[in-house]
Amino acid sequence: MDQQLVAFINALRKNGVTVATSETLDAARAVDLVGYGDRRRLKSALGLTLAKSESELARFEQCFDAFFQFNDLSDIKPHAAKPDHQPAPRQRAEGPADERAEGPADAAPTEAGPTQATSRLGQMLLTGDRQALANAMAQAASAAGVSDIKVITQKGLYGRRMLLAMGLEALEQEMWQAEADSDPARQQRGRALRESLAQLRQEVKQYVERQYLLHARGDSRALREAVMRETPLANLHEFKDVQGLVRKLAKRLETTHSRRRRVRQRGKLDVRSTLRHNIPHDGVLLETHWKSQRVDRPRVMAICDVSGSVSQYARFLLMFLYSLTEVIPKVRAFAFSSDLGEVTHWFEQEPLERALELTLHHLGGGATDYGRSLTTFCEHCLEQVDHRTSVIILGDARNNHGAPRTDLLQKIHGRARRVIWLNPEPRRRWGSGDSEMLRYQAHCSWAEPCQSLKQLERFISNLLRYSQ
Amino acid sequence: MTQPPSDADIKAGLASAGYICNDRIALTLFLARALEKPVLVEGPPGVGKTELARASAQYFGRDLIRLQCYEGLDEAKALYEWKYGKQLLYTQVLKDKLGELLRGTDNLAEAMERLYQVDDLFYSRRFLEPRPLLQALTAEQGTVLLIDEIDKADQEFESFLLEMLADYQVSIPELGTLQATTRPLVLLTSNNTRELSDALKRRCLHLFIPFPDAELERRILASRVPGIREQLRRQLVAFVQEVRTLDLKKQPAISETIDWARTLVLLHAEALAPELVTDTLNVLLKHEEDIRTVQDQLRQLFSRLFKG
């Protein structure tokens, strides 16, 4: 099968478009039908067979443009004296693996005129045969193995290899000889060659850069994301693109959980459905159908400690919760350090970053007081906690030796569907020093450490799975 | 056998069936026919996904069979069902014949043996009620099968479709596997209310139809609303294109543009005017909030579009 197509599909996969083998076969059949001749048709046909969602289509188009965009090399002016050598403008979409590249090499003249170059590369440059140049470049690229490029520092190396494969040495020899010659025509040719070569270097550099973006960026992004997911949340703000990653993780959770499940209620017969399904059996009730109930979306009340030490963790929890509005439509957020306040309205009206900023500004900074915060929560909101509400508390439970008021937590637990405590500290430190975690833990449905995005993602996935 | 139509032919053919489309859509149909693959059509509501199926059925001269998906759709409603009533009726009516058949048998085993020889009669094609999928497979001249809003159906149904989409065959336990006589052209549409499974996507060509650009929309209007004046058509399309850039709950789609154009033609409008737009905006926009948003910005919109 077509080498070029396989290479392109490899590049697609590296850029996050999943392509199955069967789709590769489809694409090959589509290319057979459509051909490489018309760039737009080729793009549409490949897009139809390979990209299977709107976002994949966007990535596909980016990739296609980078991969099949061959330099028109229009910067390299033809220096040829003979005007009939001017090449006709060609389609840029011509498949790079074209055999035509061999053309000029066979016809290498033995005795060159003063304006004609002897080396093959020199000829191409001076006649300005863009098509031949583009083809030669593609061949040199595969000879140099440019698609194996891994890191950005290899750019120079691969560029050099490509130039060598295109016949740089012969060209340089010729150029030096021509420049040293006494004949002014030959000297001029040498200058023209030097000029063209500089442009060619530029083109090759750009080509390698594009290949790097195409092949290596995907790999390094995957690595980076894996690192980000394991990094403790407190250090995560050093990564610039972390919000993008959170959004991506949230999107994945959303698609996994967007289907509303039903649970069968054993013991409650759905009489109508049972009768209907048993008509074929002449009314004899063979199949039973049980009543079922939809699994409710969770109603979440998130209470976050935003005092200095823990505010970074709260930030990511809230980021997650508010990126999941599709599957968790009702989130009420509360924040506290020395006292508690509701911040839902900020998150609903302002963009995420701004809302976080406001929260930290108004409620962060004080000395943590869990007892007082729980009291405030109970005064204002205990009424609204009902058997459908999941209460998530995020904090390290370090109460500065104040009264922990576990009785209040017990009250909340009594009313809510469940109370979940997320603690940014590892389990072995719970209960050490002024940490009241062990006492609070007794009144939670479950408590778990939450230190990295990976743990946070797992927690939210569980929250959605068991929300009934 | 005649040469299969190229995508340019398809484009012209669809246009004659009243469906103006871009090259990409025509190429999709061309590939779908050549590769014999189903097409998954996605896009915002009202851009003509269902209409595409209707027009291609008309152009290819095939019957359109439509299967509307909804939650709880199952095999019995989509593929086939046994005609239980008819089976019962036949056994009642044929009671005497059965009695005759069984006469002269000495014991139960012998009677069973005789009955066994005829029981296939009651589970034959005659008692099969074909539903859309089976109809599409068994039609002699081929059909265009439209599976509308597949995202509304349950995931189980989606998996059930896989056999049909990959091999154009279905398995009926009593009869065996039925192969399509002429492979139907299958179009699935989705409004993206949920993510479809990868297995389904893998088996389909994927076509995304976005809102049309101004040029295309003008041509669509000219084709669908013949009585409209040139000036009004230009203004109307420019206005709708501009409205789509606003932050709205539901962007107006082509179907709404066409409805609006028809309304304006009925009102004998010659050109867009702010008062006229205010009165008829509820045809274009379906949410009270959106209408208010546009009305608030009506003056700016007009001055930007038609004076500048």
Side-chain angles (χ1 to χ4, degrees), chain A residues 26 41 48 52 259 294, chain B residues 7 37 155 201 204 206:
Chain A
D26 289 341
R41 278 185 84 203
L48 288 166
K52 295 294 160 88
R259 249 176 70 75
R294 287 193 155 202
Chain B
D7 35 344
K37 284 239 145 205
Q155 210 142 23
K201 286 186 185 168
C204 301
H206 184 270

Side-chain angles (χ1 to χ4, degrees), chain A residues 108-391:
Chain A
T110 42
E111 190 60 40
T115 57
Q116 271 179 326
T118 45
S119 71
R120 180 181 148 200
L121 184 59
Q123 273 176 4
M124 279 190 269
L125 284 176
L126 290 191
T127 53
D129 188 347
R130 289 158 207 181
Q131 191 58 45
L133 262 178
N135 287 333
M137 211 184 229
Q139 284 189 334
S142 66
V146 176
S147 59
D148 294 335
I149 187 166
K150 286 277 180 296
V151 287
I152 200 151
T153 45
Q154 288 174 318
K155 274 190 205 168
L157 172 73
Y158 279 107
R160 174 93 191 150
R161 277 196 199 160
M162 263 181 76
L163 280 172
L164 284 178
M166 285 175 82
L168 177 72
E169 280 179 334
L171 177 74
E172 279 180 336
Q173 285 293 334
E174 189 191 353
M175 186 176 77
W176 290 327
Q177 275 174 15
E179 280 178 337
D181 207 293
S182 54
D183 181 2
R186 284 178 78 92
Q187 271 180 9
Q188 196 202 341
R189 196 184 74 207
R191 275 198 299 279
L193 276 175
R194 184 172 283 278
E195 208 174 291
S196 305
L197 182 62
Q199 276 162 354
L200 182 69
R201 275 184 205 280
Q202 201 62 30
E203 292 290 341
V204 168
K205 195 173 144 213
Q206 280 172 10
Y207 177 82
V208 175
E209 232 155 63
R210 264 205 312 276
Q211 293 296 312
Y212 167 73
L213 290 180
L214 203 59
H215 293 286
R217 197 176 46 180
D219 287 350
S220 57
R221 188 174 51 206
L223 179 70
R224 195 176 157 80
E225 283 183 2
V227 171
M228 275 202 274
R229 291 182 60 190
E230 302 282 351
T231 310
L233 290 173
N235 305 334
L236 211 51
H237 59 271
E238 287 170 19
F239 291 91
K240 262 184 292 177
D241 38 357
V242 65
Q243 206 172 342
L245 176 64
V246 169
R247 230 176 268 129
K248 189 173 148 188
L249 294 178
K251 176 84 193 149
R252 201 164 66 193
L253 284 174
E254 213 167 76
T255 47
T256 330
H257 295 284
S258 61
R259 249 176 70 75
R260 303 196 67 176
R261 293 185 310 131
R262 287 171 164 274
V263 272
R264 302 245 179 274
Q265 293 179 311
R266 292 285 303 172
K268 278 194 189 169
L269 191 69
D270 189 341
V271 179
R272 278 165 51 179
S273 168
T274 305
L275 284 179
R276 200 168 53 237
H277 281 89
N278 283 297
I279 296 171
H281 311 302
D282 210 4
V284 180
L285 303 183
L286 290 174
E287 291 171 35
T288 48
H289 282 253
W290 304 98
K291 283 201 165 156
S292 62
Q293 203 178 28
R294 287 193 155 202
V295 175
D296 267 339
R297 302 255 193 253
R299 288 190 190 184
V300 171
M301 283 191 173
I303 306 174
C304 302
D305 183 349
V306 288
S307 63
S309 51
V310 208
S311 61
Q312 279 300 327
Y313 295 87
R315 186 184 135 95
F316 286 106
L317 178 69
L318 290 172
M319 212 188 249
F320 244 115
L321 288 177
Y322 279 96
S323 309
L324 282 168
T325 41
E326 282 271 302
V327 280
I328 318 181
K330 293 192 186 92
V331 180
R332 289 184 66 183
F334 303 86
F336 70 92
S337 50
S338 56
D339 204 357
L340 178 125
E342 179 159 6
V343 293
T344 315
H345 50 285
W346 286 328
F347 281 90
E348 281 171 357
Q349 287 156 12
E350 307 282 346
L352 205 57
E353 278 301 317
R354 173 90 185 122
L356 287 166
E357 207 177 281
L358 281 169
T359 307
L360 290 182
H361 179 71
H362 286 276
L363 292 159
T368 335
D369 187 342
Y370 279 77
R372 190 161 144 207
S373 304
L374 284 174
T375 316
T376 319
F377 181 78
C378 287
E379 271 169 25
H380 294 287
C381 298
L382 192 61
E383 294 292 300
Q384 288 143 39
V385 176
D386 59 18
H387 66 285
R388 279 170 299 189
T389 317
S390 303
V391 178

